Amino acid sequence: MADFETPEIKEFIGIPALQEGSMAHSSPFIAKPDHQESLGFPGELVENWQQVALEKMDDLRTRYRSFQVFLDSCVKCGACTDKCHYFLGTADPKNMPVARQDLLRKVYRRYFTVAGKYFPKLVGAADLTEEVLDEWYSYFHQCSQCRRCSVFCPYGIDTAEISMAAREIMDAVGKGQKYCNEIIGKVHTIGNNLGLPGKALANVLEGLEEDVEDDTGVAVKFPLDVKGADILLVTPSADFFAEPHIDGLIGYAKVFHETGASWTLSTTASEAGNFGMFIGSYENMRRVSMRIRDAAKELGVKRIIFGECGHAWRIAYSFLNTLCGPFDFLDQNYPIPQHILEYTWGELEKGTLRINKEENDHMTLTFHDSCNVARGSRMGDYPGGQFDYPRNVIKAVCNNYVDMDPKTTKEATFCCGGGGGLLTDDLMEIRVKGVLPRATALKSVVENEGVTHMAAICAICKSQFTKTLPYYGFTMDQIVSVHQLVSEALVMKGSEQEAELDGTDGDDTEE
Amino acid sequence: MSGFIAALLWVGLVVFVGFTARKIRQYWKTPAPLKIPTTPAPVTQTGVVFRMAREVVLFESLFKSNKWIWVFGWMFHLGLLLAFFRHLRYVVSPENFMWPVISNVIVQSFGQYAGFAMVAGLFGLLARRIVVERIRYISSPSDYLMLLMLIVIGVSGLVMSFVSHIDVVQLKMFVMGLFGFDFQNLPESGALLIHLLLVVVLLLIFPFSKLLHAPGVFFSPTRNQIDNPREKRHLAPWAAEKYNDHVDK
């Protein structure tokens, strides 16, 4: 592990003075040949890589309007320069969104525009050299594709689109990232990012059934591969073993149980996450998505519901219909796909769930809007529903809730610092520095409003926070899943909690 | 000299119109394969029209982002628009139905004083580019030169309007002659010469530079897409061809 200094957490999120090259050393491990090849990319850097890279760039700009328009339109106004969490945490000017884009734009200008061909110095165009490729590799893996810059750009230029294109170009020349490409390979072959085989999954679920029964006295099922179930639940595989993710999964199961839903998980679609988006690969993103369509068809379900996962929900909400629709074989009376929070909030509104908010009284909650949910998707049928649904659910199950600084929530939310394929140990420095803006906002509500816990609805956010917030003096258990809160407060029929609450428990209520 | 300027103006216009149209055609033809509006986004076409209108007229996103850039940028663009309206008096004849509007005293005097707003905005933008470290870092020589060019265009225009007046009747004859291929003499004025030459440069570089942000913003998928991916399947032609084989299964 490389040595680095954890930035000092200040009272406010400040704009740092530039420190050129301060993160130039940050680079993730390069994918091994077999990981590359299994995704259809060259195993290692090809000999004529410049030519291949430029051809790929040319190909992408004819297939993606975003790429072409964004490359042309930037006027270098500077509006985005203080918006990226990685810039705010590292002070490296190449982490300013426009500067990050320019690493690629200067090459585009050099080879594809009149100005750059004849007056490269004048317009800041540059040759595609090995140094440039190395810079791409470094700085396009310091972007979590969170889209915060796109909110503030007067032309809506989204650096995520540029990063995805850059990574696709790098994959095409044989310089892919190990973390993403290895994981995509696992999804293709095994069905989830962790490489958790069906048998292990079944064991985990069985263990959970026992735990919940011990805890509540109710036999809550965690069904797997049940044909003919109504609902297919697709959730990030971290939900099967990581903390606090797994407490969220228990929450989904209890809600399904209590509402009498017929549901199932699937071995082959035991992963909501889709790293195909991180590497900008339409083809891989589609292949990963097709598992879900295939599983839904095979199991004969009527609905698909996604668990708490940020990027997964963006892909599910925004892309799934495009990639592998139409879903005419599902029940059209429900959103396709649906978010678990849409389901749970619907049930809470109907009043089908009995809630004892006091169970969560030992906490004061705040909520971290996950970047890809906030800026790349929606919940419900009106714009901004993605902000209300999680808050509505939290407030329905907790008495103490406080929002963080509005400059850091909703559409202006900061990424956790681990999204977009950066959630790997070889990028720990950028992850720790990238969480600084969120940590600063959290610290403020902790000190001024008595907040004790922060809830999240994304597997990556939860993993990243539990790992990096301790660098700033927080503890791992301050991060909770939203459905964990639901799980705590839900009073299931016939449960020990119900008996205790209603005093029908008999012997031990007289204290 | 007048003939030379007339020829340059024609070249500038042809290049501007031709190559900008080519760019717009390129943007138009290039598909957006995925739904990527920056959310929260409108869920109807009408909503998208309003979002785009707010973006183009009020610079909504820039307003959220940075008040200084917004103030200077908006002053410049609004000033430019008003000055443009004032200039229509040179290309529209009094018989034209638009003449009463164009020659209206409000349009004309707003257009005249808008030049100050335009130049002030440009100086503000230039100052930020020089003074703010982050913006200085991302600036290329062309970024400064473009601002300087626009400043000189604005200042030379203001000079003709407020300091050393030119023969506007003669200028109008020149311009009308330009479009009718009946070339007339330009009024004698150094400021006018500089003004027109730089306008030619502006026309020539427009389709090859960041000035393409003007048509570009209308084609930005993060701003012009409707947020309805669950309700309506969105499929690009190339994706339909290559990645849609599951539909027949």
Side-chain angles (χ1 to χ4, degrees):
Chain A
M1 193 60 49
D3 290 328
F4 62 88
E5 238 175 87
T6 305
E8 190 195 341
I9 192 163
K10 304 220 174 80
E11 198 176 337
F12 299 105
I13 299 163
I15 304 169
L18 305 187
Q19 290 173 33
E20 277 191 52
S22 63
M23 285 305 287
H25 58 277
S26 175
S27 250
F29 296 147
I30 293 174
K32 296 200 174 75
D34 48 331
H35 296 139
Q36 284 284 101
E37 280 155 10
S38 73
L39 304 191
F41 304 132
E44 46 195 26
L45 193 64
V46 294
E47 207 148 295
N48 59 339
W49 64 269
Q50 272 139 320
Q51 188 197 340
V52 175
L54 294 172
E55 279 168 9
K56 190 73 199 170
M57 193 184 282
D58 201 23
D59 167 50
L60 290 176
R61 76 194 184 100
T62 62
R63 288 194 290 131
Y64 289 83
R65 180 186 286 171
S66 54
F67 191 49
Q68 178 64 59
V69 171
F70 294 166
L71 286 174
D72 281 337
S73 296
C74 177
V75 300
K76 318 290 167 76
C77 73
C80 63
T81 54
D82 57 352
K83 301 298 184 282
C84 175
H85 52 290
Y86 291 122
F87 170 68
L88 296 173
T90 67
D92 189 321
K94 291 198 172 106
N95 278 327
M96 299 189 295
V98 45
R100 191 187 317 283
Q101 295 163 24
D102 270 359
L103 296 173
L104 202 122
R105 187 179 283 115
K106 66 183 179 186
V107 174
Y108 162 72
R109 302 224 72 178
R110 182 75 181 101
Y111 296 93
F112 299 102
T113 71
V114 174
K117 271 181 197 157
Y118 299 107
F119 312 102
K121 287 245 165 61
L122 185 69
V123 298
D127 290 333
L128 178 54
T129 61
E130 194 134 13
E131 288 76 47
V132 170
L133 181 67
D134 288 342
E135 263 192 336
W136 283 4
Y137 194 73
S138 173
Y139 288 101
F140 285 117
H141 290 108
Q142 298 185 46
C143 168
S144 57
Q145 307 175 342
C146 81
R147 316 190 88 203
R148 190 167 194 267
C149 47
S150 88
V151 170
F152 295 103
C153 174
Y155 317 112
I157 297 173
D158 182 5
T159 311
E161 294 290 308
I162 307 285
S163 275
M164 289 171 194
R167 292 186 192 177
E168 189 163 19
I169 293 169
M170 290 189 281
D171 276 327
V173 301
K175 192 165 175 159
Q177 184 212 20
K178 175 172 181 268
Y179 175 66
C180 278
N181 292 1
E182 192 175 2
I183 279 180
I184 295 169
K186 276 188 210 158
V187 179
H188 287 330
T189 52
I190 301 171
N192 55 58
N193 287 355
L194 297 166
L196 201 64
K199 213 168 199 168
L201 187 56
N203 283 338
V204 168
L205 297 176
E206 217 169 283
L208 286 176
E209 288 178 354
E210 284 166 22
D211 290 349
V212 174
E213 188 157 7
D214 285 349
D215 204 35
T216 64
V218 180
V220 172
K221 293 285 164 215
F222 288 73
L224 181 64
D225 297 325
V226 176
K227 284 203 178 184
D230 286 342
I231 297 168
L232 170 64
L233 176 75
V234 185
T235 204
S237 53
D239 281 3
F240 299 124
F241 80 104
E243 286 285 350
H245 313 57
I246 201 162
D247 301 308
L249 175 63
I250 293 171
Y252 320 148
K254 284 186 183 175
V255 169
F256 283 141
H257 172 89
E258 200 56 12
T259 55
S262 140
W263 69 289
T264 185
L265 291 154
S266 152
T267 315
T268 52
S270 50
E271 176 63 64
N274 188 335
F275 281 30
M277 178 170 78
F278 300 162
I279 62 166
S281 168
Y282 192 101
E283 188 168 342
N284 277 288
M285 190 157 71
R286 176 174 183 263
R287 244 177 98 187
V288 173
S289 293
M290 281 305 281
R291 296 166 314 125
I292 295 166
R293 180 190 170 93
D294 293 343
K297 274 203 138 166
E298 201 188 305
L299 296 170
V301 297
K302 302 191 182 91
R303 304 164 64 178
I304 300 176
I305 292 183
F306 274 74
E308 297 179 5
C309 189
H311 302 81
W313 180 240
R314 180 181 180 195
I315 295 160
Y317 171 84
S318 292
F319 305 157
L320 200 67
N321 198 8
T322 295
L323 295 168
C324 48
F327 288 93
D328 38 18
F329 58 93
L330 296 178
D331 187 339
Q332 305 296 312
N333 293 315
Y334 299 97
I336 306 168
Q338 192 174 24
H339 195 282
I340 186 71
L341 279 167
E342 291 178 313
Y343 182 84
T344 300
W345 177 239
E347 295 298 329
L348 282 165
E349 274 194 306
K350 276 194 269 174
T352 40
L353 301 174
R354 183 176 175 192
I355 298 297
N356 177 18
K357 287 185 174 192
E358 286 170 17
E359 287 291 339
N360 287 318
D361 274 355
H362 60 288
M363 294 185 274
T364 297
L365 271 303
T366 191
F367 175 68
H368 165 78
D369 290 279
S370 295
C371 57
N372 273 252
V373 174
R375 294 183 284 257
S377 78
R378 175 159 56 97
M379 291 178 202
D381 55 7
Y382 61 96
Q386 67 270 36
F387 309 135
D388 296 339
Y389 276 66
R391 285 174 174 80
N392 289 348
V393 168
I394 295 172
K395 287 176 189 167
V397 300
C398 301
N399 280 315
N400 315 314
Y401 177 80
V402 178
D403 255 320
M404 285 180 279
D405 181 350
K407 289 194 212 75
T408 73
T409 58
K410 301 188 177 174
E411 70 169 356
T413 188
F414 279 105
C415 163
C416 62
L422 308 192
L423 193 76
T424 168
D425 283 348
D426 43 318
L427 290 173
M428 196 46 91
E429 178 176 359
I430 191 74
R431 287 172 54 191
V432 169
K433 292 179 173 175
V435 79
L436 178 67
R438 172 51 74 223
T440 308
L442 176 59
K443 186 161 181 254
S444 170
V445 287
V446 166
E447 288 177 355
N448 301 318
E449 314 263 0
V451 164
T452 58
H453 292 75
M454 178 163 70
I457 48 167
C458 169
I460 287 179
C461 295
K462 294 170 196 172
S463 300
Q464 157 76 356
F465 285 143
T466 49
K467 185 105 181 192
T468 58
L469 283 179
Y471 282 80
Y472 297 92
F474 299 97
T475 55
M476 287 175 73
D477 57 10
Q478 287 185 282
I479 309 306
V480 294
S481 298
V482 169
H483 271 80
Q484 172 180 356
L485 302 169
V486 177
S487 168
E488 293 295 325
L490 182 62
V491 184
M492 292 188 291
K493 288 178 210 82
S495 67
E496 290 166 17
Q497 286 74 12
E498 182 189 49
E500 200 175 317
L501 209 59
D502 297 342
T504 53
D505 209 9
D507 45 18
D508 60 353
T509 51
E510 309 285 322
E511 287 167 58
Chain B
M1 194 63 194
S2 295
F4 178 62
I5 297 287
L8 279 183
L9 278 167
W10 261 115
V11 172
L13 266 177
V14 168
V15 168
F16 169 75
V17 173
F19 284 90
T20 305
R22 204 172 82 152
K23 262 292 169 191
I24 290 174
R25 188 172 175 274
Q26 182 194 28
Y27 296 157
W28 188 277
K29 293 265 175 196
T30 309
L34 295 166
K35 279 279 192 175
I36 57 165
T38 308
T39 58
V43 295
T44 61
Q45 181 64 50
T46 319
V48 165
V49 170
F50 276 103
R51 180 186 206 179
M52 188 58 84
R54 290 197 306 275
E55 205 63 87
V56 173
V57 178
L58 303 173
F59 302 1
E60 183 182 41
S61 298
L62 188 58
F63 184 80
K64 284 185 207 165
S65 174
N66 187 306
K67 298 292 184 284
W68 283 113
I69 305 178
W70 179 82
V71 165
F72 293 137
W74 202 69
M75 263 169 71
F76 157 58
H77 282 89
L78 185 72
L80 184 66
L81 183 72
L82 294 175
F84 172 79
F85 285 141
R86 178 176 160 86
H87 282 74
L88 288 176
R89 65 180 179 160
Y90 294 114
V91 295
V92 171
S93 73
E95 294 85 53
N96 191 292
F97 73 98
M98 275 163 52
W99 183 254
V101 181
I102 292 162
S103 62
N104 184 294
V105 66
I106 296 175
V107 171
Q108 286 302 313
S109 43
F110 263 96
Q112 193 175 14
Y113 291 99
F116 290 105
M118 180 181 148
V119 171
L122 287 165
F123 271 111
L125 292 173
L126 183 63
R128 280 190 65 81
R129 205 170 274 294
I130 294 166
V131 173
V132 180
E133 187 190 27
R134 302 189 311 281
I135 308 185
R136 194 165 65 235
Y137 179 87
I138 56 168
S139 298
S140 299
S142 57
D143 297 315
Y144 296 101
L145 289 174
M146 255 182 234
L147 286 172
L148 287 172
M149 179 180 72
L150 289 165
I151 286 172
V152 176
I153 291 175
V155 169
S156 57
L158 287 171
V159 164
M160 287 182 275
S161 223
F162 291 98
V163 184
S164 95
H165 297 279
I166 58 161
D167 182 349
V168 291
V169 178
Q170 180 66 37
L171 178 61
K172 177 143 188 171
M173 283 172 65
F174 169 83
V175 176
M176 298 302 282
L178 187 67
F179 291 111
F181 292 101
D182 170 25
F183 298 119
Q184 305 287 319
N185 280 330
L186 266 176
E188 301 247 335
S189 160
L192 180 61
L193 212 57
I194 292 169
H195 196 73
L196 290 180
L197 280 173
L198 287 180
V199 167
V200 169
V201 175
L202 182 67
L203 290 170
L204 287 175
I205 63 174
F206 188 96
F208 308 104
S209 68
K210 66 177 188 177
L211 300 175
L212 284 170
H213 68 280
V217 62
F218 294 99
F219 292 93
S220 179
T222 59
R223 293 292 181 271
N224 74 8
Q225 286 186 337
I226 307 168
D227 177 22
N228 63 354
R230 286 195 289 197
E231 292 77 16
K232 193 163 180 286
R233 187 167 184 227
H234 174 89
L235 197 64
W238 63 260
E241 200 173 299
K242 201 171 171 194
Y243 297 117
N244 207 31
D245 49 359
H246 63 275
V247 170
D248 312 319
K249 270 196 268 180

